[in-house]
Amino acid sequence: MAKSGAGGTGMTSGEKLLGGVVLAVYVFVLPLTAEWLFNGAERLFGVSLDRGLRDAAYYAVLFGLVLIAFWGFFGRNTRAFFDRPWQVLGAAGVGMAAFYGLNELVCRILGLLNAGQVNLNDQAILTRLGTSPRSTILMVVFLAPVVEEALFRGYVFGNLREYSRGAAYLVSCLFFAMVHVWPFFAESWDVGCLMVMGQYLVPGAVMAWAYEKSGSLWGSVLLHCAVNGLAVWGA
């Protein structure tokens, strides 16, 4: 990966500080307070938002926070993309092939170990596609990939990579897996929800690899958008 800091595609000290705040809000604050905040907003403004609009608004706010925190970071990574577009696109393409090959194998193994355990995150998305397809597609295919890649690959992986490549892969994958399951665990305290984390380890590792190999965050963003887009199309 290119060197970090303002001169490369990494983060400045200011971006690291703001990014830490946004990461904490995304992982720990909003999952526990979003429902309360939306209910309060509905009462205050006398409106009613369906689940799809709530989700789209949720990620639109996060998208705005990520842009504010990482504006310069996105600019440097965009320039890196245009400097070597085929390297970025190639890494995304190889990542796509690796994702479908490895993910299928891991999901089959986990299916044998956790027979009957439902992925509540996937189930929720499928339900919302049926009731609010447009807002759900906007969230899943465009907003969420940018937010998650900036935070988990750009911030967590990129900053830890300066000290330990192994730790960068491990921690970023665990964060990525946790954020997809722990809101459901917090609601039910069903330990089975946590077992689904394994399904997100391969995507997390492959997207981190695409970011590292391409030298630009857009390598992993494009891969993430494509994976989610194909999943939505298949659904």
Side-chain angles (χ1 to χ4, degrees):
M1 189 183 297
K3 64 180 180 178
S4 63
T9 57
M11 294 186 178
T12 64
S13 57
E15 289 163 350
K16 291 177 181 179
L17 177 62
L18 288 175
V21 174
V22 176
L23 179 66
V25 168
Y26 180 41
V27 176
F28 301 110
V29 178
L30 283 181
L32 299 178
T33 63
E35 197 71 19
W36 177 81
L37 290 172
F38 276 121
N39 291 338
E42 286 185 341
R43 290 193 297 269
L44 180 63
F45 296 107
V47 297
S48 179
L49 299 174
D50 64 29
R51 175 55 60 182
L53 287 175
R54 285 189 176 202
D55 289 342
Y58 182 95
Y59 272 95
V61 170
L62 284 167
F63 184 82
L65 292 175
V66 163
L67 285 184
I68 292 171
F70 301 134
W71 182 257
F73 174 71
F74 277 118
R76 294 189 295 278
N77 279 269
T78 300
R79 288 192 292 273
F81 171 72
F82 286 113
D83 285 343
R84 44 183 180 273
W86 296 115
Q87 178 179 332
V88 175
L89 293 174
V94 173
M96 178 77 76
F99 168 82
Y100 281 106
L102 294 173
N103 200 55
E104 178 68 19
L105 175 63
V106 170
C107 284
R108 286 182 179 275
I109 294 173
L110 291 174
L112 295 175
L113 297 176
N114 306 320
Q117 184 61 48
V118 177
N119 186 323
L120 295 179
N121 183 68
D122 286 353
Q123 190 177 62
I125 291 173
L126 286 173
T127 300
R128 290 162 196 170
L129 273 172
T131 57
S132 306
R134 292 181 180 178
S135 58
T136 302
I137 289 172
L138 174 64
M139 175 192 72
V140 172
V141 181
F142 299 104
L143 297 180
V146 174
V147 170
E148 293 178 354
E149 293 312 305
L151 291 174
F152 299 122
R153 257 61 71 178
Y155 183 82
V156 177
F157 178 84
N159 290 319
L160 285 177
R161 176 67 177 80
E162 299 176 18
Y163 306 99
S164 170
R165 187 167 180 262
Y169 272 97
L170 177 62
V171 176
S172 63
C173 288
L174 288 176
F175 259 109
F176 182 66
M178 182 185 72
V179 80
H180 286 87
V181 302
W182 99 269
F184 301 100
F185 171 71
E187 288 180 0
S188 63
W189 295 102
D190 179 4
V191 178
C193 293
L194 300 180
M195 300 299 292
V196 180
M197 285 180 62
Q199 296 181 16
Y200 295 95
L201 296 180
V202 166
V206 171
M207 289 171 194
W209 177 88
Y211 173 42
E212 183 179 38
K213 188 68 174 179
S214 67
S216 171
L217 185 70
W218 293 111
S220 61
V221 170
L222 290 174
L223 172 58
H224 200 153
C225 290
V227 167
N228 284 11
L230 288 173
V232 168
W233 180 71

